[in-house]
Amino acid sequence: MAHPEEASATIGVLALQGGVEEHLRILEGLGADTRRVRVPRDLEGLDGLVIPGGESSVIDKLARTFGVAGPLREAVNHGLPVLATCAGLIYCARDLDNPSPGQQTLGLLDITVRRNAFGNQRFSAERTLPVLVGEETLPIEASFIRAPLVTRVGEGVEVIATVPHDGAEEAVVGVRHGAVTALSFHPEENDEARVHAAWLDSIR
Ligand code: GLN
């Protein structure tokens, strides 16, 4: 929630490709100042960064072309909080089961991710699932669009959302570690603002 007496946070959205506008709309609705991040200087003075969905191999390629991948990794390693959705989760992973040829990731989270794990179609277009948001578990409206699955969770990485999938009761679709929260799905597609709100609260 916006606290009028506090200076509002400045939140960047990595704006190389993908669903940038939906995140900007939600963040602005929550009272944050926003900035599109494309080049290294756009990272200066940010209080947090959102990495949107889209196509992770394209985001990777463009981030390296614009020279922002290295500075971004460094900023997060120095504590810049991140909220990542879908392709953003893929981009944060240490390892991918099925990378595109030459695809690189930021390695911010010790997880392994399988891209397009639910098939190429929209999987149950929208569904409500319990997600650990801040300290509470809330029913979150989520869209799964060519969504990835977390197939390995490293030590210290907390699971915040699961769905039954492919015989597994609890396939992992949301994780957090330190200041990095990453989801396989898109709350922003449904104007679901509570994940963003809790993340903002945690960094203010
Ligand atoms: N399948 C996409 C990828 O590999 C992610 C899809 C999404 O972000 N909605 O990047």
Side-chain angles (χ1 to χ4, degrees):
M1 290 297 107
H3 300 296
E5 70 279 10
E6 291 174 21
S8 62
T10 302
I11 306 298
V13 178
L14 189 63
L16 300 168
Q17 188 266 339
V20 174
E21 300 305 318
E22 294 85 341
H23 285 288
L24 289 171
R25 194 173 60 233
I26 288 194
L27 292 164
E28 283 161 14
L30 292 166
D33 292 331
T34 58
R35 184 192 302 162
R36 289 172 175 77
V37 172
R38 297 197 177 92
V39 294
R41 71 167 179 278
D42 297 333
L43 291 165
E44 279 167 27
L46 288 183
D47 298 305
L49 179 75
V50 170
I51 307 181
E55 174 50 49
S56 56
S57 58
V58 175
I59 292 174
D60 159 47
K61 215 169 273 172
L62 292 173
R64 284 188 281 139
T65 303
F66 288 116
V68 77
L72 199 168
R73 184 187 288 115
E74 211 163 291
V76 178
N77 287 336
H78 283 90
L80 179 70
V82 167
L83 176 62
T85 60
C86 205
L89 172 139
I90 298 169
Y91 193 39
C92 286
R94 181 163 299 170
D95 300 302
L96 302 181
D97 284 330
N98 52 350
S100 268
Q103 179 172 6
Q104 297 180 17
T105 58
L106 293 171
L108 302 175
L109 286 168
D110 182 17
I111 56 174
T112 304
V113 171
R114 184 175 309 143
R115 300 167 59 228
N116 304 320
F118 296 93
N120 277 320
Q121 295 305 314
R122 213 171 242 253
F123 155 77
S124 304
E126 266 107 53
R127 55 186 289 167
T128 304
L129 74 157
V131 181
L132 182 61
V133 171
E135 302 300 313
E136 337 169 53
T137 300
L138 299 176
I140 295 295
E141 295 285 319
S143 293
F144 287 74
I145 308 169
R146 297 182 300 121
L149 192 65
V150 179
T151 55
R152 181 190 61 88
V153 177
E155 223 178 282
V157 178
E158 186 180 13
V159 172
I160 59 169
T162 62
V163 290
H165 176 65
D166 224 7
E169 292 261 305
E170 302 204 319
V172 176
V173 290
V175 293
R176 76 186 172 194
H177 186 217
V180 182
T181 299
L183 308 169
S184 293
F185 49 88
H186 300 272
E188 73 283 1
E189 288 275 325
N190 304 298
D191 282 324
E192 166 63 82
R194 290 173 299 168
V195 176
H196 292 69
W199 176 75
L200 277 179
D201 275 348
S202 74
I203 68 185
R204 269 175 171 153

